[in-house]
Amino acid sequence: MTPNQLFTPETTLDSVLGTATARKVETAFGYVTVGEMLAHFPRRYMEIGELSKISDLPVGDDVTIVAEVQSVNQRRMQSRSGFLLEVVVSDALGPDQSTLRMTFFNGFEAKRDLQVGSTAMFSGKVTIYRNHLELTQPDYSLLDTAADADPRPIPIYPATAKFPNKKIRDVLALVLAGVSPSGFPEFIPEAILETQRIPTRVLAYENIHRPQTVGQGYAARTRFAFEEAFLLQLALAQRRVYRLQQPAIARHGSSDGLLSAFDKTLPFTLTDGQITSGMEISADLVRGHPMNRLLQGEVGSGKTLVALRAMLQVIDSGGQTALLAPTEVLAQQHYQSIRKLLGSLGAGGELGSDPRATRVDILTGSLNTAQRKKALLGAASGETGILVGTHALLADMVSFVDLGLVVVDEQHRFGVEQRDAMRSKAETPPHMLVMTATPIPRTVAMTVFGDLEISLMKSLPPGRAPISTHLVPLQIPKMQQRLFTRIAEETAKGHQVYVVCPRISEKTAEDDFLPAAADPESEAPAGDGPPKPASMTVEKMMEILESMPIFADTEIRALHGRMSSDEKFEAMQAFDSGKAAILVATTVIEVGVDVHNATLMVIIDAENFGISQLHQLRGRVGRGGLPGTCLMATWLDADHPSVARLQAVESTTDGFILAESDLNERREGDILGASQSGSKSALKVLRVMKDAKLIARARTTAESLVAGEVSLDSYPGLQSAVEAWVDEDMQAFLERG
Ligand code: ADP
Ligand code: MG
């Protein structure tokens, strides 16, 4: 390497570092190029300005100290292989002689670097171990003398034992020496850099790795976060423009068709949210481009009705519609409630039906051959106006004459391919309406669902009673007793009760979508904290309830994903009709189930469920004007980390607040589902919640730049940055909407 050699992002590291070091970088981090190495950003910075004195270290805080090594001692570990390096240091600042112990597990590097008498800057969290303050596994940086402490912040990188922080800094110094604007041209237009007050690319690389001040380091981070958000928003804006250029059949409806007939028979008035969403959807349908809209509304806000009215508008225009539900139970419920809502208007093909009537049909995997044939024929002949179904709708043999609208309920359970499979059933792209009860904070909506238009329904239909939520500590025997009495009180009033358990039986793991053979271990309750009794099963709870004298005259049913669909249907019917007063179920009832007379939701071993699941479950009660109660029972102590989640759910019924606390708990990778697919998260710097304002700015900026053009002709550098960035991972990510 010559000193003035200039790099591009593609320059290989072995040409910069030599083969040996390059190989080590690749082993440690998987990086091969200069561009990848430069994107290895520090986790944080350590700086002199925040030095603490050993004598007043606050327990639990992150601190930085400058100290001198007094002793180094190596011990074998008894319980596992490896060794523990204990380093005792004393304050190198001033006369204070306090000492502090530090421990390093398998501290090979520390053992080499930290000799008695050497001075270093240490940084880590203060803990108490056997009554002494201690830093465990601190970051450190060797100094020649205490006085000589570098006044500049020291970046702390994600590092490995074999490739520690110091070495990363050395490698980056070599790389940064060859980085110049000619090899790393700026692709963000200058005017945008100025209004956003962010440094250029090259300067940002320098400043994130070697800042003069911590502030400079964070400003550089902002540049990269903005860059990510901006490229993402440009890609999304281009997709929106592209979609608007695609043809779709406009569905104008008719002034005296099914929709107007239906509206006249409606037994209630639409909520404000239903009216507004309905108008937004209706306006989309009459345009000659495919609608791609997300209908977001709290549990019980009446999304089905909004979807049904949209379907009727399409049917009035001669088209057919499909409603895709994630589970058999839900498909059945949609079918039943649509039939009920439409009355004779939905009895098409049956004797004595209204002449305007359309045919509503259901297609699920469990139909017998004759039923399936009938459903397939109805769709293929064009006679069926509304086909409700599960994944079975996606099969190749399902065809329509003119599929104009696809409604997807609870979209988080469907992937890109499935929506594409539905799209491909029409010659011209159909309109698409996606419904979800999962509250999506604005910034997530702008990223994860970036190219969907959003209709939001905040209001619930009138007559919804409030739901009160309580934690029930099961360690207290009196509380266990109280739980069952509470159930009995409710059934005595003629009301109905759900009892939700995490698992079906001792033998298997529960999940509607897991094969029955799934490994129960993998479904183990969230692994933090001490072991607890195995979580409750539907089978066990059935036994318990059925053996209790107070329930001797009460009809109790079970519902879970391993029952046949006939059994499920029968159980649901029994509960729906009020014949069964108690339904013991798994989370199959999480979405959509709608029984107005149900007033109590009991969730056993509630820590097994996530925030949004608990919120959804709770939304199953209080739907018919009777106040609802949700009891979340747990064996865990109140200060157990998992109980915080339950307390969050207990403290508010606002789904948006809950969604945010849910997201704050998780990394953005989880939000994007990247962690499930095993691919790397497409967003490396950006944090969906923390960078909310920045994402909003990036979106406005991207929109004004794209403004009707699919390609950024006047910004070729930017266009290729977008294209380079939208790789396969990203493509899948973008299409999650
Ligand atoms: P979700 O949005 O959770 O899917 P649903 O569509 O299941 O909610 O509606 C919940 C219940 O509210 C249904 O029984 C439905 O018939 C009823 N409902 C819908 N809209 C209204 C309204 N405007 N007034 C009264 N009840 C309504
Ligand atoms: Mg619903």
Side-chain angles (χ1 to χ4, degrees), residues 343-358:
S344 64
L345 292 174
E350 293 168 23
L351 280 176
S353 65
D354 192 298
R356 290 164 301 185
T358 189

Side-chain angles (χ1 to χ4, degrees), residues 268-271 274 299-304 461 464 594 596 623:
F268 36 67
T269 46
L270 300 175
T271 65
Q274 285 173 322
V299 176
S301 56
K303 294 183 291 294
T304 315
R464 283 293 147 74
D594 184 29
H596 287 193
R623 296 169 78 87

Side-chain angles (χ1 to χ4, degrees), residues 44 46-68 89-94 96-100 102 120-126 133 135 146 149:
R44 62 187 196 89
M46 196 160 94
E47 70 173 336
I48 286 283
E50 56 183 66
L51 282 186
S52 310
K53 280 165 95 180
I54 289 180
S55 52
D56 43 42
L57 288 182
V59 176
D61 277 17
D62 278 314
V63 298
T64 300
I65 58 168
V66 171
E68 192 180 299
V89 299
S90 66
D91 241 329
L93 296 178
D96 195 332
Q97 284 305 301
S98 319
T99 60
L100 177 68
M102 307 184 179
M121 192 188 291
F122 298 91
S123 176
K125 201 192 239 3
V126 183
L133 293 184
L135 291 188

Side-chain angles (χ1 to χ4, degrees), residues 42 195 301 317 467 487 673 705:
T195 44
S301 56
S317 323
I467 301 170
I487 297 176
L705 205 61

Side-chain angles (χ1 to χ4, degrees), residues 214-490:
V214 170
Q216 214 178 42
Y218 289 121
R221 182 210 170 265
T222 305
R223 141 88 205 199
F224 292 111
F226 182 82
E227 179 183 312
E228 249 176 34
F230 187 50
L231 294 179
L232 169 62
Q233 293 302 335
L234 281 171
L236 291 170
Q238 289 183 334
R239 282 175 60 89
R240 278 193 298 272
V241 171
Y242 170 76
R243 190 163 43 76
L244 289 178
Q245 292 174 350
Q246 286 222 302
I249 301 173
R251 310 285 178 172
H252 293 278
S254 120
S255 55
D256 61 345
L258 277 172
L259 180 55
S260 59
F262 173 68
D263 279 347
K264 280 181 202 128
T265 66
L266 255 187
F268 36 67
T269 46
L270 300 175
T271 65
D272 289 350
Q274 285 173 322
I275 292 171
T276 317
S277 305
M279 289 193 319
E280 287 164 352
I281 294 167
S282 177
D284 281 358
L285 291 175
V286 303
R287 287 196 295 172
H289 308 291
M291 169 172 79
N292 203 22
R293 187 171 282 276
L294 181 71
L295 175 60
Q296 191 191 339
E298 272 283 5
V299 176
S301 56
K303 294 183 291 294
T304 315
L305 184 59
V306 175
L308 177 58
R309 295 185 66 250
M311 293 192 273
L312 295 178
Q313 177 172 341
V314 171
I315 297 166
D316 282 339
S317 323
Q320 293 169 279
T321 66
L323 170 56
L324 197 52
T327 65
E328 180 115 23
V329 171
L330 207 55
Q332 275 292 349
Q333 268 226 323
H334 274 308
Y335 174 71
Q336 302 290 345
S337 64
I338 287 175
R339 283 302 303 259
K340 207 159 100 192
L341 279 165
L342 284 179
S344 64
L345 292 174
E350 293 168 23
L351 280 176
S353 65
D354 192 298
R356 290 164 301 185
T358 189
R359 179 167 152 190
V360 185
D361 227 333
I362 180 163
L363 182 68
T364 65
S366 64
L367 298 185
N368 65 35
T369 316
Q371 291 167 319
R372 179 175 316 124
K373 238 176 165 167
K374 191 176 142 278
L376 289 173
L377 210 64
S381 67
E383 196 188 322
T384 300
I386 299 177
L387 185 59
V388 182
T390 53
H391 290 77
L393 288 186
L394 306 172
D396 280 343
M397 67 179 82
V398 181
S399 68
F400 297 85
V401 174
D402 178 14
L403 180 60
L405 170 66
V406 175
V407 180
V408 181
D409 194 17
E410 297 304 340
Q411 73 91 36
H412 57 285
R413 302 216 183 180
F414 288 102
V416 187
E417 307 81 34
Q418 284 136 345
R419 261 171 286 133
D420 282 350
M422 283 313 291
R423 279 199 181 100
S424 70
K425 293 188 187 296
E427 270 165 38
T428 348
H431 298 286
M432 182 80 60
L433 179 67
V434 169
M435 304 195 285
T436 181
T438 309
I440 301 161
R442 221 174 94 77
T443 48
V444 178
M446 281 194 300
T447 48
V448 183
F449 302 95
D451 72 332
L452 275 79
E453 319 298 330
I454 295 180
S455 290
L456 181 63
M457 302 203 295
K458 281 217 154 164
S459 45
L460 296 182
R464 283 293 147 74
I467 301 170
S468 54
T469 308
H470 308 283
L471 260 169
V472 180
L474 292 171
Q475 319 96 317
I476 305 174
K478 216 173 66 196
M479 293 307 261
Q480 289 183 35
Q481 198 45 52
R482 180 81 193 107
L483 192 68
F484 292 109
T485 337
R486 201 55 198 80
I487 297 176
E489 282 167 12
E490 221 50 46

